Amino acid sequence: MLGAIEAGGTKFVCAVGKEDGTLIERIQLDTLTPENTIPHVIEFFKKHEIEALGVGSFGPVDIDKNSATYGNITSTPKPGWKDYPFLQTLKDALHVPMEFNTDVNAAALGEVMLGAAQDVDSCLYITVGTGIGAGAVVQGELLQGLSHPEMGHILVRRHADDQYEGFCPYHGDCLEGMAAGPAIEKRWGKKGVELQDEQRVWELESYYLAQALMQFILIVSPKKIIMGGGVMKQKQLFPLIQGKVQELLNGYVAVPQILGNIDQYIVPPGLGDDAGITGALMLAKRALEN
């Protein structure tokens, strides 16, 4: 029995399951302060005899295993979570092997092992929801350098007709500031789900997201791009993004996945809403193996 945590900015999903990705039981908790949320997380796993635990967390987080603050949530603006020793708190309570990474890296791992990217060894997973984040698996390994990727905060060219200033507290009009769910609501005065039939909304959204994907393709060269999160449930976005990516690249990356089969290259998650929690289960599997 393995344990998995998908720790999101608005909700925690805790689950137990098997090495093959089968989820046996799960609970969902609101992400409040650590004092309000973590005791319920620990209580859930103490009810099950888990052999290892995988954690995919909202960030930024410290994923350097040689760091004194490995497993901490770092510079988040979320009240109560800044510098919180997330992993150490779990270790002190549960005493099992653990693997810790970002929620989007976990989702990327889940999609490579059991989802839409099973046919390749490299993929990029991007979530577009209350924020924007991305994780990557490259030749079977999670992408990590000085820290984890923060692809949601790249700068994008502003559309000439877009007067919205952006909402990111750090960078203003970065990708997240211009294209995450709150940007849609603040720009148009309604939530995205209420704007489904407004073509101009999704044309503008795809304008920003396609710029980001162009940069990721040129820098990381993923073998598949998977787009999840609440905003991407607007399925009309996929053909708009795919077309704009082709236009922006303008034939420069001359591979069939982009020139001819882009609808099979930029795709929704094969695991649906379970990409993150399944990926966390795969982190637990790695913790057990290591």
Side-chain angles (χ1 to χ4, degrees):
M1 185 82 79
L2 302 176
I5 299 173
E6 181 187 11
T10 57
K11 70 178 187 296
F12 267 59
V13 179
C14 304
V16 291
K18 299 180 181 179
E19 289 187 31
D20 65 0
T22 303
L23 297 168
I24 296 169
E25 184 180 340
R26 76 169 81 194
I27 60 168
Q28 183 173 308
L29 305 164
D30 290 334
T31 305
L32 305 173
T33 64
E35 293 76 20
N36 287 318
T37 302
I38 297 302
H40 297 291
V41 172
I42 292 169
E43 180 186 11
F44 173 77
F45 289 111
K46 282 190 170 179
K47 290 194 304 185
H48 302 276
E49 294 184 13
I50 60 170
E51 295 179 63
L53 179 66
V55 183
S57 175
F58 71 91
V61 292
D62 185 348
I63 59 171
D64 179 359
K65 292 183 178 179
N66 297 316
S67 168
T69 55
Y70 169 59
N72 285 17
I73 295 174
T74 60
S75 56
T76 180
K78 195 156 188 61
W81 292 92
K82 187 176 188 298
D83 299 323
Y84 179 68
F86 190 5
L87 184 63
Q88 192 60 51
T89 302
L90 295 171
K91 283 185 172 183
D92 291 344
L94 298 172
H95 310 290
V96 296
M98 296 184 188
E99 193 79 17
F100 181 84
N101 218 296
T102 66
D103 49 357
V104 282
N105 262 351
L109 182 65
E111 286 292 326
V112 160
M113 295 182 72
L114 296 166
Q118 288 182 79
D119 57 333
V120 294
D121 64 358
S122 302
C123 82
L124 186 143
Y125 179 96
I126 178 169
T127 182
V128 187
T130 53
I132 296 179
V137 174
V138 179
Q139 296 181 334
E141 295 298 325
L142 290 165
L143 183 61
Q144 179 178 343
L146 285 172
S147 181
H148 52 81
E150 282 287 1
M151 300 186 213
H153 293 270
I154 63 170
L155 298 180
V156 288
R157 292 175 179 168
R158 176 182 292 276
H159 193 284
D161 297 329
D162 189 10
Q163 302 304 311
Y164 177 61
E165 67 275 11
F167 80 96
C168 175
Y170 289 93
H171 315 115
D173 60 355
C174 64
L175 176 66
E176 179 172 291
M178 299 302 284
I184 296 172
E185 184 176 356
K186 291 174 188 292
R187 180 186 288 112
W188 301 102
K190 294 181 181 178
K191 292 184 182 293
V193 292
E194 301 174 61
L195 296 162
Q196 185 170 350
D197 298 326
E198 295 284 345
Q199 181 71 9
R200 57 182 184 153
V201 172
W202 309 111
E203 287 285 351
L204 185 61
E205 181 71 7
S206 64
Y207 171 84
Y208 290 120
L209 293 174
Q211 287 185 62
L213 296 198
M214 176 195 183
Q215 295 179 57
F216 302 154
I217 290 166
L218 293 173
I219 296 168
V220 184
S221 197
K223 293 180 180 176
K224 188 161 285 189
I225 295 175
I226 298 158
M227 302 189 75
V231 172
M232 293 309 303
K233 290 184 184 297
Q234 301 292 331
K235 298 303 182 188
Q236 68 272 27
L237 271 171
F238 280 94
L240 294 173
I241 292 167
Q242 291 157 357
K244 285 182 172 62
V245 167
Q246 287 177 319
E247 291 170 16
L248 288 167
L249 286 170
N250 197 28
Y252 186 70
V253 182
V255 296
Q257 291 91 334
I258 293 171
L259 296 180
N261 303 313
I262 199 163
D263 60 330
Q264 298 167 43
Y265 177 65
I266 300 170
V267 297
L271 296 168
D273 293 337
D274 287 339
I277 195 65
T278 303
L281 203 62
M282 295 301 99
L283 287 174
K285 180 181 178 182
R286 286 189 168 194
L288 197 61
E289 292 169 349
N290 294 333

